Every structure is written in C-alpha cells, then in structure tokens.
C-alpha cells in the first residue's frame, strides 16, 4: 500500500522570508531622515533660483518701461508732457495714460507705487539744471521685485550740471540710461537717489 506523506504544517507566518515582512520602524525612520536631508540640501538652491527669477522679472519690466519712455521722448524731445506745469516732476495721470498706450504690458502709476509686492512702474521727470521738471530731459523710473529689492533707472537725454553733485556716480555727466538698486523704495524713488546708486543691476 502506498502512503502519501505531506510536509509538516507550520503555524502562522513563521515560514515567511524576511523580504515579505516589510520595513521596520527604524528602517522607515532612516528613509525619512535621508529624504529630509536631500530636501534641506536642495531648498537653498530652489529659493535662490526663485529670487533670481523674480529680480530678472522686475528688471525686464523696467527695461520695457524705458523703451516706452524712449518712444515718448522721440516725439517732442522732452519728458515734460508726462507731468504738470508745477514742476513737481511726478508723473501725472495723463503721463501714465501716454506711457500705457505705448506699452500696455507694463502697469504705470502716478506717484502711488509704495508696496514691494507691486508689479508696476512709477517715476518722475526732472530738468537738467534743477530738481524741477523744467526742460524734461531726465526721467527716473523705479519698480519693485517680489524679493523686496527695488530697481531704478534714470533715462538722461542731455548733459546735466546737476550730475556734478554726484561725483562718485559712474556716468560722469554723460547722457544715457543709468541703473541702480536698493533695499527700499525711498532709496530709489527720485533721480537723485537713483543717481547715487547707479552702479548697475
């Protein structure tokens, strides 16, 4: 007579291999720790790249505004029409309308730009001999980056005796576009302030 034998029966999961048991709490903790280290190492790089992108965005916005200002200037050879006869120099609503018509992609404001989270451009007009907008040959523009840095540019169309006040500035009285930056609006929101920081972007 043939007798069939069967392997011994084991209880529970004693016969399972280690690979089938899953991960222990210590192993999970090590994996989480390694992931945390990788994230912490890459975070500064990510933040730095984001900040650079936001600064470049603000610089590009100001460059576009400068081009609109150049087009405006080419008609009357002065920026005086952007402001009023009082000589305060602040760009008025009609100046905003004129610049906005030349460059709709940039939001221009009339002396109201005061928050670092804005994406607009503000500015003022100056003459070549005084702080007033006499002959309108200087246009200062400024805009914030979302990083908190403020960027400015002075579009100077003629030589200015006022520039002698700033002997350390790099332009030495020559016409051109002079760019600077600072950590707060009050350090860039006039031609004089921007001149003092005209060391480029």
């Amino acid at each position: 007579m043939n007798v069939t034998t069967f392997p011994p029966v084991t209880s529970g999961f004693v016969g399972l291999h280690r690979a089938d048991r899953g991960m222990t709490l210590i192993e999970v903790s090590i994996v989480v720790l390694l992931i945390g280290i990788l994230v912490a190492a890459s975070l500064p790089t990510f933040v730095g790249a984001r900040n650079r992108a936001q600064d470049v965005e603000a610089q590009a916005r100001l460059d576009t505004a400068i081009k609109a200002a150049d087009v405006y200037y080419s008609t009357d050879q002065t920026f005086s029409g952007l402001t009023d006869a009082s000589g305060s120099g602040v760009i008025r609503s009609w100046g905003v309308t004129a610049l906005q018509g030349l460059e709709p992609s940039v939001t221009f404001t009339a002396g109201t730009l005061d928050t670092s989270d804005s994406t607009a451009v503000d500015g003022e007009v100056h003459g070549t001999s005084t702080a007033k907008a006499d002959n309108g040959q200087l246009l200062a523009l400024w805009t914030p980056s979302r990083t908190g840095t403020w960027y400015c540019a002075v579009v100077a169309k003629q030589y200015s005796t006022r520039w002698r006040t700033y002997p350390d500035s790099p332009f030495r009285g020559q016409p051109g576009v002079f760019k600077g930056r600072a950590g707060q609006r009050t350090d860039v929101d006039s031609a004089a302030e921007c001149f003092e920081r005209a060391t480029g972007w």
Side-chain angles (χ1 to χ4, degrees):
M1 175 169 90
N2 293 330
V3 177
T4 304
T5 59
F6 297 94
V9 177
T10 58
S11 62
F13 296 95
V14 175
L16 291 177
H17 295 291
R18 174 176 166 76
D20 297 326
R21 288 187 299 117
M23 299 176 70
T24 66
L25 181 59
I26 293 176
E27 290 169 334
V28 171
S29 300
I30 291 172
V31 170
V32 170
L33 177 63
L34 290 175
I35 291 173
I37 291 171
L38 291 174
V39 169
S42 61
L43 190 60
T45 302
F46 169 76
V47 172
R50 184 190 63 183
N51 288 349
R52 284 190 296 275
Q54 291 173 343
D55 286 343
V56 167
E57 177 188 25
Q59 294 166 11
R61 182 167 60 249
L62 203 51
D63 277 334
T64 304
I66 290 167
K67 290 175 184 175
D70 281 336
V71 172
Y72 180 88
Y73 183 88
S74 66
T75 303
D76 297 322
Q77 301 299 298
T78 180
F79 294 117
S80 295
L82 297 173
T83 186
D84 54 26
S86 70
S88 65
V90 176
I91 294 178
R92 299 302 183 185
S93 59
W94 54 88
V96 168
T97 301
L99 291 172
Q100 202 79 61
L102 294 170
E103 188 46 71
S105 69
V106 176
T107 302
F108 293 90
T109 62
T112 59
L113 183 58
D114 60 3
T115 56
S116 59
D117 62 351
S118 176
T119 56
V121 174
D122 207 346
E124 67 180 15
V125 178
H126 286 275
T128 54
S129 58
T130 69
K132 303 300 183 182
D134 50 12
N135 60 0
Q137 294 302 305
L138 304 177
L139 176 64
L141 298 169
W142 53 89
T143 191
S145 166
R146 285 179 285 176
T147 63
T149 301
W150 284 77
Y151 291 89
C152 67
V154 176
V155 183
K157 294 300 185 179
Q158 291 184 12
Y159 175 84
S160 173
T161 55
R162 291 188 65 217
W163 299 356
R164 297 174 187 166
T165 309
Y166 314 103
D168 296 329
S169 295
F171 46 84
R172 303 296 182 191
Q174 299 303 312
V177 177
F178 308 102
K179 301 175 179 180
R181 64 181 174 182
Q184 53 189 3
R185 178 184 62 83
T186 54
D187 289 336
V188 298
D189 64 353
S190 71
E193 296 289 351
C194 194
F195 273 149
E196 291 181 5
R197 293 161 181 81
T199 55
W201 291 342

